[in-house]
Amino acid sequence: MEQTPKHNTESMKRANEVSIYKLMTVGILVSILGVYLRFAADSTMLSIVSWVILLIGSIIACKGVFKILAA
């Protein structure tokens, strides 16, 4: 007989938490802001700030992904 997969495992419950997807959405929106600022004007200071904002947004989004993977 074939074994049926378990649908209520701990990892599936953790992957379906709304807070993780909110965290990822915030990270993506912050990253989009960084990309927008990168191309908004041509100044060195704004370029540096936009790269920092993009880096922060990427880190936030990656934290959400790693929470899903439980790493």
Side-chain angles (χ1 to χ4, degrees):
M1 294 250 189
E2 293 182 23
Q3 292 183 354
T4 58
K6 295 181 180 180
H7 295 290
N8 289 328
T9 61
E10 189 63 35
S11 63
M12 290 181 112
K13 289 178 186 176
R14 185 176 50 250
N16 288 328
E17 288 180 8
V18 176
S19 62
I20 293 174
Y21 292 101
K22 286 181 183 178
L23 181 68
M24 289 174 53
T25 303
V26 168
I28 291 168
L29 290 176
V30 170
S31 297
I32 289 172
L33 175 67
V35 170
Y36 176 75
L37 288 177
R38 178 69 181 100
F39 296 105
D42 192 23
S43 90
T44 305
M45 189 58 158
L46 185 62
S47 182
I48 292 170
V49 170
S50 67
W51 279 112
V52 170
I53 292 172
L54 179 62
L55 178 68
I56 291 170
S58 300
I59 290 170
I60 292 171
C62 287
K63 283 178 73 172
V65 171
F66 288 136
K67 278 187 177 183
I68 291 174
L69 296 175

